[in-house]
Amino acid sequence: MKITVTINEQAFDNVAAWRIIGEILNKPKAVIGLSTGQTTHNMHVLISRIYQENPFDISQTTFFGVDEVTNVPREYKGACYTMLKDQLIDTLGVKDNYFIMPPTLSDDFTKECKLFQDQLKERGGIDLQVLGLGTNGHLGFNQPRTPFERETWLSKMDEVLEARIRKETNTPDNKELGGITLGIRNIMQARKILLVAKGKSKAEIVQKMLEGPITTDVPASILQLHPNCEFLLDQEAASLLSIEH
Ligand code: GLP
């Protein structure tokens, strides 16, 4: 396991941004999985800024998001598609066929899950997957007790996120919300993973993820078994670890 602890948030964003840019520079045809949320927002904006100042070739790089909210308009500002476009994809000028996202609306999500997964396979599989970490240990929308062998599927969100999205989109309680997510198996098949977590609110789950047992109760604990996963933390997120890193 490679654990990197940065001295502050700025360094955290900087390291993450350069890990992603480095992957693109090393392998222009790379397939790069992104993740949305508060943790990744600034690193995306930083990549955009670096690109504007010193453009690099992204014309053959495929980008995708690890998950997507379902049953909301794609233009909703909390949809992963729109967040990634606003933070990064549009600034980089990524062409539509190099940005792969499941739709937010569909009458056959099972088909969409398979299509999403197949498209990534056709591009040669995932080179680098960036992952945020839920405070309950979720990866993408794989909530606690999701079987480790699960492939891309339509899952539930955690209650806090669901309540926020319902409010922001005026979605009534009788209309189901969910999330398409790469399954744990797909995530574990990525050649490289960058797990990012910052802030005090993540300290407890970071400790469980890295020093606790590997269990579906903490989906992210499976990453202990990935041969090429870097855990990028700030000092607050790393504060409950018992070993000096
Ligand atoms: C959501 C996303 C996850 C992300 C997580 C972390 O649940 N579906 O992919 O990892 O949020 O969010 P934050 O960085 O805001 O804590």
Side-chain angles (χ1 to χ4, degrees), residues 35-39 66-67 132-133 138 140-141 161 202:
S35 198
T36 52
Q38 285 168 4
T39 314
V66 68
D67 53 16
L133 175 67
H138 72 230
F141 281 125
L161 183 63
K202 299 284 169 76

Side-chain angles (χ1 to χ4, degrees), residues 24-200:
I24 299 170
L25 298 178
N26 276 327
K27 187 175 178 186
K29 286 189 178 167
V31 176
I32 298 194
L34 301 167
S35 198
T36 52
Q38 285 168 4
T39 314
T40 54
H41 176 277
N42 291 353
M43 67 183 70
H44 294 159
V45 173
L46 183 57
I47 297 171
S48 296
R49 199 178 324 137
I50 295 168
Y51 180 82
Q52 281 170 323
E53 284 163 12
N54 285 297
F56 43 90
D57 183 16
I58 53 89
S59 62
Q60 299 178 86
T61 310
T62 297
F63 297 88
F64 70 94
V66 68
D67 53 16
E68 180 58 288
V69 182
T70 56
N71 290 335
V72 298
R74 214 178 200 189
E75 301 69 38
Y76 157 55
K77 67 172 177 47
C80 301
Y81 172 85
T82 292
M83 281 197 266
L84 291 174
K85 268 187 91 74
D86 290 351
Q87 294 166 13
L88 182 65
I89 298 298
D90 283 350
T91 317
L92 264 49
V94 177
K95 296 203 182 77
D96 285 352
N97 60 334
Y98 283 93
F99 181 41
I100 301 177
M101 288 297 286
T104 56
L105 302 171
S106 172
D107 49 20
D108 189 349
F109 281 118
T110 309
K111 196 180 87 196
E112 300 298 350
C113 288
K114 170 120 186 33
L115 187 66
F116 180 47
Q117 181 169 310
D118 287 350
Q119 280 174 310
L120 300 180
K121 269 188 203 148
E122 274 161 29
R123 301 276 167 124
I126 306 165
D127 289 294
L128 171 65
Q129 178 66 62
V130 181
L131 292 173
L133 175 67
T135 45
N136 64 357
H138 72 230
L139 293 178
F141 281 125
N142 296 287
Q143 303 298 346
R145 284 168 289 287
T146 302
F148 286 145
E149 62 271 24
R150 192 51 73 75
E151 300 206 337
T152 310
W153 66 300
L154 177 59
S155 172
K156 289 199 183 310
M157 296 180 214
D158 63 80
E159 282 168 19
V160 178
L161 183 63
E162 177 164 345
R164 196 183 85 205
I165 293 180
R166 245 179 227 292
K167 200 167 154 215
E168 287 178 358
T169 54
N170 289 322
T171 305
D173 285 348
N174 59 2
K175 192 173 160 195
E176 205 161 310
L177 290 176
I180 286 191
T181 180
L182 285 190
I184 307 271
R185 172 175 280 169
N186 310 102
I187 289 172
M188 288 300 280
Q189 284 168 345
R191 290 180 193 94
K192 209 182 285 172
I193 293 178
L194 180 68
L195 182 292
V196 291
K198 67 177 173 187
K200 229 183 246 152

